[in-house]
Amino acid sequence: MEVDLIDLDPSTTSVAPASGSNNNKSLTAHPVDDAHPFDLDSYILSYTGRTAVERLIHIIPTCPSLAPQALRLAAKHCHSLRDTSLYALAVSTYEALPSDSNVPPVEEVIELDSKWAEETLKKNLAEKTKLEVELKTYANNMIKESQRMGHRDLGAYYRSVGDNATALKHFTKSREYCTTSQHVLDMCLSVLELLIEQRNYTHIPTYVFKADAALDAASASAAKSEKDAAAAANGASAAPQKLVTTGTAGPALKKTISAEREKVQSKLDFASALSHLGQGNFEKAATTFLRLGSADQLGDWIGKLVASGDIAVYGVLCALSSLSRSAIKAQVLENSIFGVYIEQEPYVRELIEAYMGSNFKAALEILAKYRTRHFIDIHLFPHVVDLTALIRNRAIVLYFKPFSSIKLDRMSAAFGWTVPEVERHVVALIQSGDINGRVDSQNKILQAKTTDHRSELFDRAIKAGNEMQSANRKLLLRMRLQQADLVIRAPKGQREAHPSEMMQGD
Amino acid sequence: MSSQSQSNSHPTSSSHNMDATSSNSPLLTLDGILAGIIATPAPQPAVLAHLLRTCAPRDVRDNILCGTTSTGADPLLILDVGNPGHTVGVLYILAARLASTTIAPPAISYIESFCRSFDPAAARCAADRVTLVAQGILHISEASNKTKYALQPIYDLITRFAPPNTLTALHSIFLRACIVTGNQTLALPLLAVGPLSPPLPSSPSGKELLDTLSYTDHLTYHYTAGFALATLHHWPLACDFLETVVAAPSLSGAVSALQLEAFKKLTLIQLIHTGAAPLPPKYTAPLLARLLQTSPYGAFAKAYPGAPSYLAGILENERALFDADRNTGLMKLALGRVPRWNVRRLEGTYASIGLAEAGAKVGLDEAGVVAAVLDLVEAGEINARIDPPGVLTFSSSPAGNKARTRGEVDRALREAETHAVTLKRLEMELARSRDYLSKAVRNREEPNWGAVEEDMMFAPGERGMASFADDAMYS
C-alpha cells in the first residue's frame, strides 16, 4: 500500500527538493543521548509549514534514533499542507535508512493515508486549473495588475505543492507586470523565501540586490506621496500653519515608513547572511547576522523559514570562528538586539562566556555536546566541521598568545587533549602561519619565536637593495638589447636572414 | 653566416667611391693588396678595412687573398702579426684561407700567435672577419678531430677582441666548443661576470660589432652559458643566464623555441637551487609562461617539493618527454633534493626534534637527515646542531637572520650609491638622446601630428625604421 502512495505522482517526486535526496549520502549518523542532548518536540515547535517537514526529513537520516518520531511528526505536519510529494519523500527517506539502524518498519510508525493524498491531489488539480483559467482571462483583458496577481498566485500555488522551478518561473514572470516598486519588492521577497527554502545560496544575493534597489525606490515614493497628501490636506489653511502641521506630521509619517523599511531590510539582511553562511563566507555571515534587527522585524519568516534560536547559533558560531575577541565583545556581548536571540538558546551564551573567559576546554566541550543539534540544522550542517575546526584553531592561537613558552602538557590540560594531539594541532598552525612559534619536540614545549627587529630590518633592507639592483641590471640589459635591436622576431616566410641586420646595415 | 650576408649586403657599386681616391686595378692582385697594407704612412685600420671589403666581389677577393705573391712567398709571413697596422690585413687573409676548401689552412702555431698578439682596436674595424676566423679555427680543428686545440686561440681572440662585459658573436662559438669538448671550466672566467650586454651603437666601433650580432647569438650564448654553468652546478649564475634568455625582448609577442627550452631548464634549476620556482619577470612573453604551465614541467614545479612519490610519478609518466628535452638529469637532481627542503622547513616549526621523528616527517632515515642537515648548515641555510646526540636542535635565531656586520652595511650602501649614480647618468643620457628629444618636441608642438604620421607611415624608410625601433624599445 505504501508503494502505491509513493507511485502516486512520480512527476512531483522528481522535482521534490533536490537537497533532500542529496543529504542522505553525505550524512553520518549522530547520536542523541545524555552527552548530546536534543529534544525534537520542542525543537520542531519553533517551525511551521514546509520548513518543519523538511527539517524533519533531514533529521531522519541524521539521527536514526529519532527517525520514527520525526516521521510521525512529519506526517502530522504534512496533513496541514498540500504537498503530497513531501509526504512521499519523508516516507522514502525513512525507508532508505540502513537496515542496521534498528528502526521499526513504516507501517508501525504511521498509518499511510492514501485517501488524504488522493483528495489533496484532486484539490490541487482543481486549484491549478482555476488559477490558470483566471490568468488566461486576465491576459485577455490585458489588465497588468490582475496579470501580476495571477502569476503571483500561481507561483504561490506551485510553491505550496513543491514545484519550485515552476514557482520561480511564475514569480519572475510577475516582474514584468509590476507597476510600482512595492510590487517589485513583494516579488523579490517571495523569490527570496523560495530560494531560502530551496537552499539555493548562490542565487540569493542577486535578489537581495534587486530588492534593495526596489526598497529605496519604494520608500522614497511612499514618503513623497504621503508628504503630498499632507500638503494637500493643509493646502486650504494659512501658510504659517501649514509649516507647523507638516513639521509635526513629518516625524510620525517618517516613523511608519522607516519601521516598514526596517522590517524589509531585516529580511534582506537575514537572506544575505544566510547566503554568506551557505557559501562558507563565515566572517561576512557573522557581521551580517550580528546586525540583524529584532525577531519581530523578521515577521512571518520566523517559524516559516527559521527559528530565532537558529539565528543565535549561526551568528555566534560564525562570530567565534572569524571575529577577533574585541569584535565579539562589541558585536555580540554588547549587542542588546542580538542578545534577545541568544536568550532562545541558553547554551550559546555559555559557549560565548566560556570562550571569552578563555575557558577553551569548556567551549570545545559545549561545541562537542551540541554537535547533534548543529548537524540537525538544514542550513548549518555542511559547515559544522569547518566551523568547529576554525574555532578550535582560534582558541589555540588565543591561548598561546600571552606566553613566550609553554609546556605542551599544560596546553593539553587546558584543551582536554592528549599531548600528541596538541602537538599535531600546534604544528599545523605553525605551518599555516597562525602561530608564530616553534615546537621543542624533545621537551614538549612550545616557544614563541623571538625576532631581533633591528637585524631583521637590516636584513630586509639589504635584501630589498639586492633585489632592486638585480632587477635594474636585468632591465638595463633588456634596454641595451632593444637599443641594439637584438629583438626576437617571428620568422617571415622562408627568409632566413635576420631583419635586424638588414636594418643595421642600412 | 650572419656576417656573410652582411658583407654581401654591401653594394659593390659603393667601390666606385674608392676609384676616385685610389686606383682599383693594383688592389686586384695580392701584391697590390699587400702593398696597400704595408704602405707608409700606415693607413687607418678603418680605411683599410673598408678598402679590402669593397675592392672586389667577395669570392674574387677571397680567391686572391688565398694566393701567394708574384714571387711565390706566403703573404702571412710577409706581414707581422705583432704589428698593429697589419692586423686587418692578416685577418682578411686568415679568414679567406680558413674558409677555403682547396688551400691548406695556415699553421696552428701561426694562428695561435696571431690570436695572442693582434691589435684589438684594429680588429674591431673588421669584426665580421674576426667572427669568420673564429668559425674557421673551430672548423679546421673539428675537421681534424682536435676541437680542443681551437679553444685556446678562440679564448685569446675573445679576451682581446671583445670590449669588457660586451657580447660578441665569438662568445657563443667559443662556449659551444667548450661544451662539445667538455671543457666548461675553461669558460668560467668569461661566465663569471654574468649575462653580457650587446655593444652600444654609439660606442667606438660599436656599430661594426653589432653588425656581426643577431638576436640568436644573444639567445644562444646565454642559453649555452646557463647550460654550462648548470653542468658545473653553479646554480645562481646559471639562473641569471637562463632568465636573460627567457625574458629576452621580442617584437609583437614572438617567442623563440630556445626560450622555452631555457625556461624549462630555468624552472628545474630554480627548484634545485631554492626549492621553488618563482614567477619570471613581468615582461616575459605571456605565451611562454602559459606553455610551461601546461607542460609536465609546470605540474612538477607546482607540486614541488611535495610528495616525492607524486613527483616521481610525473617523472616516470613523462619520461620520454624529459629524455627528449635532455632534462632527466636535472629532474632527478631536483627530486633528490625534496627531503632537503622538507628538513629546511622543520626549522620554522621545531626548536628541537628527534632525528628519528624528523626522518619520519621528511621521509628519510636518520643518516639521510644528518646528511641533509650538514648540507644545509654548510650552505648557510639553517642554523642547527645535532646535540644532544640523536636530537636535532635548531638555533633560536634562524640562519636567515644572521647579524649584519658594519662592513656589510657599508658595502651595501656604497653599492646602492654607485647604482644610483649609474642610473642617474643613464637617465640623463637618455633625456638628451636625439630620439627622445625629437619625440618629446614633436609631441609638445603638434600633439596630433604624431598619430597622423604613424598612420601614413607604411612606406619603409629611414623614419619608418626609427619609429619601429622606438616602439619596440618602449613596448
Side-chain angles (χ1 to χ4, degrees), chain A residues 465-481:
Chain A
N466 287 340
E467 274 168 14
M468 203 175 281
Q469 284 186 19
S470 99
N472 280 342
R473 239 193 329 271
K474 286 174 200 166
L475 279 173
L476 286 178
L477 171 60
R478 189 177 159 83
M479 206 169 97
R480 285 280 284 276
L481 285 168

Side-chain angles (χ1 to χ4, degrees), chain B residues 51-222:
Chain B
L51 205 67
L52 287 169
R53 188 183 304 141
T54 54
C55 66
R58 219 195 81 189
D59 39 350
V60 176
R61 180 193 65 202
D62 283 359
N63 242 335
I64 298 170
L65 289 175
C66 284
T68 52
T69 59
S70 49
T71 56
D74 184 348
L76 287 178
L77 297 178
I78 296 173
L79 297 174
D80 176 12
V81 286
N83 186 340
H86 295 180
T87 296
V88 174
V90 177
L91 264 177
Y92 266 85
I93 298 174
L94 259 186
R97 287 259 195 109
L98 286 168
S100 164
T101 46
T102 49
I103 310 265
I108 190 86
S109 59
Y110 184 85
I111 295 172
E112 277 173 354
S113 74
F114 171 76
C115 291
R116 270 198 306 271
S117 52
F118 72 95
D119 177 45
R124 281 176 209 147
C125 298
D128 53 332
R129 308 308 287 184
V130 180
T131 315
L132 283 181
V133 167
Q135 281 168 342
I137 296 173
L138 190 62
H139 185 72
I140 58 161
S141 61
E142 270 170 359
S144 55
N145 264 336
K146 286 170 186 158
T147 315
K148 247 165 120 176
Y149 292 147
L151 296 179
Q152 191 58 42
I154 303 181
Y155 181 75
D156 291 337
L157 211 55
I158 291 178
T159 45
R160 292 173 59 78
F161 172 71
N165 289 344
T166 305
L167 178 69
T168 64
L170 301 180
H171 282 89
S172 54
I173 299 173
F174 174 64
L175 207 52
R176 223 160 13 186
C178 284
I179 292 175
V180 169
T181 54
N183 285 315
Q184 290 93 319
T185 38
L186 266 188
L188 269 183
L190 281 183
L191 298 177
V193 295
L196 296 178
S197 45
L200 270 179
S202 55
S203 65
S205 60
K207 209 161 152 28
E208 283 79 5
L209 287 174
L210 264 183
D211 282 353
T212 62
L213 272 179
S214 82
Y215 77 83
T216 45
D217 287 322
H218 135 66
L219 291 185
T220 322
Y221 172 67
H222 289 112

Side-chain angles (χ1 to χ4, degrees), chain A residues 181-451:
Chain A
S181 26
Q182 186 60 42
H183 292 161
V184 179
L185 198 55
D186 287 347
M187 184 275 295
C188 287
L189 287 176
S190 311
V191 174
L192 281 174
E193 272 181 40
L194 188 67
L195 290 176
I196 293 175
E197 218 163 61
Q198 260 185 298
R199 284 170 254 167
N200 187 345
Y201 304 111
T202 46
H203 228 72
I204 290 176
T206 336
Y207 283 92
V208 171
F209 182 72
K210 281 182 187 168
D212 259 333
L215 180 60
D216 285 342
S219 51
S221 70
K224 192 166 169 277
S225 66
E226 295 209 17
K227 213 174 192 173
D228 286 350
N234 293 320
S237 47
Q241 216 178 345
K242 179 178 149 194
L243 265 177
V244 176
T245 35
T246 43
T248 52
L253 186 115
K254 250 181 210 159
K255 214 172 170 186
T256 52
I257 292 173
S258 63
E260 195 53 40
R261 207 195 139 109
E262 264 171 31
K263 266 189 180 174
V264 179
Q265 192 63 52
S266 284
K267 285 187 177 179
L268 296 182
D269 279 347
F270 170 72
S272 51
L274 202 58
S275 102
H276 287 313
L277 173 64
Q279 295 175 63
N281 218 333
F282 300 131
E283 190 173 351
K284 276 189 181 160
T287 45
T288 330
F289 273 123
L290 293 177
R291 63 157 202 259
L292 273 186
S294 60
D296 46 328
Q297 281 182 348
L298 282 171
D300 59 348
W301 280 21
I302 296 282
K304 194 162 139 194
L305 294 175
V306 72
S308 40
D310 291 343
I311 295 178
V313 176
Y314 301 158
V316 167
L317 287 189
C318 290
L320 293 187
S321 73
S322 58
L323 297 185
S324 68
R325 259 173 119 90
S326 57
I328 293 175
K329 189 162 181 284
Q331 294 183 35
V332 183
L333 293 180
E334 292 169 7
N335 183 341
S336 57
I337 299 176
F338 198 76
V340 179
Y341 288 115
I342 293 181
E343 293 314 319
Q344 305 288 322
E345 291 283 352
Y347 81 91
V348 172
R349 178 161 296 284
E350 282 171 37
L351 175 62
I352 305 178
E353 272 165 9
Y355 183 88
M356 294 305 278
S358 295
N359 190 355
F360 298 120
K361 187 178 174 185
L364 293 176
E365 274 171 5
I366 293 175
L367 276 180
K369 188 172 168 190
Y370 289 94
R371 243 176 109 81
T372 309
R373 161 76 180 84
H374 298 154
F375 271 107
I376 269 172
D377 190 281
I378 51 174
H379 296 295
L380 193 61
F381 79 92
H383 309 292
V384 175
V385 176
D386 290 347
L387 281 170
T388 315
L390 280 172
I391 295 174
R392 189 189 58 217
N393 289 350
R394 287 185 90 85
I396 300 174
V397 173
L398 277 176
Y399 183 84
F400 177 62
K401 222 170 205 171
F403 295 101
S404 71
S405 75
I406 181 168
K407 283 212 163 83
L408 289 183
D409 55 359
R410 228 183 114 188
M411 279 184 95
S412 79
F415 284 93
W417 296 330
T418 61
V419 172
E421 236 177 332
V422 173
E423 188 175 340
R424 192 164 48 82
H425 286 304
V426 166
V427 164
L429 283 170
I430 291 174
Q431 280 171 351
S432 67
D434 289 315
I435 290 184
N436 188 20
R438 299 198 302 177
V439 177
D440 184 341
S441 172
Q442 282 303 300
N443 305 315
K444 300 293 172 200
I445 296 174
L446 173 60
Q447 304 168 336
K449 271 181 201 160
T450 48
T451 37

